[in-house]
Amino acid sequence: MTAPRVSVIIAAYNWSAVLRFSIASVLRQTFRSFELLVIGDACTDDSAGVVASFADPRVRWHNLPRNAGSQAGPNNAGLELARGDYVAYLGHDDLWYPTHLESLVEALD
């Protein structure tokens, strides 16, 4: 399997109602060479189910065993799993325009 150009990391904590919209905004990107790592900060809600509902092999869920108390813990766990040349962070309650990754990669290249 070819490594993606971009690893997108979403740090999530028990707000699955908005998480689904963040994930959808990544999946609508015009730039397609990415993986999406959704890292739960010891989530106890249905975030894992929300991630699984997309049934996209580029989207992976990992839930930390203990709450880190800040985005740094999930972000660092995501970095350890990342396979992309570049890393992009998205808040679990944020959205991207469809050309966001395309613009970033173009500028970086």
Side-chain angles (χ1 to χ4, degrees):
M1 178 192 252
T2 305
R5 290 290 313 277
V6 180
S7 294
V8 178
I9 298 172
I10 296 178
Y13 182 67
N14 289 346
W15 204 5
S16 64
V18 296
L19 177 61
R20 69 183 75 251
F21 297 107
S22 296
I23 293 170
S25 80
V26 175
L27 294 177
R28 284 192 301 268
Q29 293 299 299
T30 56
F31 185 84
R32 307 301 291 168
S33 180
F34 66 82
E35 66 178 347
L36 172 55
L37 306 169
V38 183
I39 312 297
D41 195 9
C43 290
T44 56
D45 67 353
D46 65 336
S47 291
V50 167
V51 173
S53 74
F54 285 93
D56 188 310
R58 296 171 298 174
V59 181
R60 297 185 349 219
W61 167 255
H62 177 78
N63 199 23
L64 298 177
R66 280 187 227 72
N67 183 274
S70 74
Q71 285 186 307
N75 284 344
N76 287 334
L79 283 175
E80 290 178 16
L81 298 171
R83 300 178 302 125
D85 297 324
Y86 302 122
V87 173
Y89 296 98
L90 176 64
H92 69 168
D93 59 348
D94 291 332
L95 303 172
W96 281 345
Y97 285 107
T99 56
H100 183 77
L101 287 180
E102 182 178 0
S103 298
L104 290 178
V105 171
E106 185 179 298
L108 290 166
D109 284 349

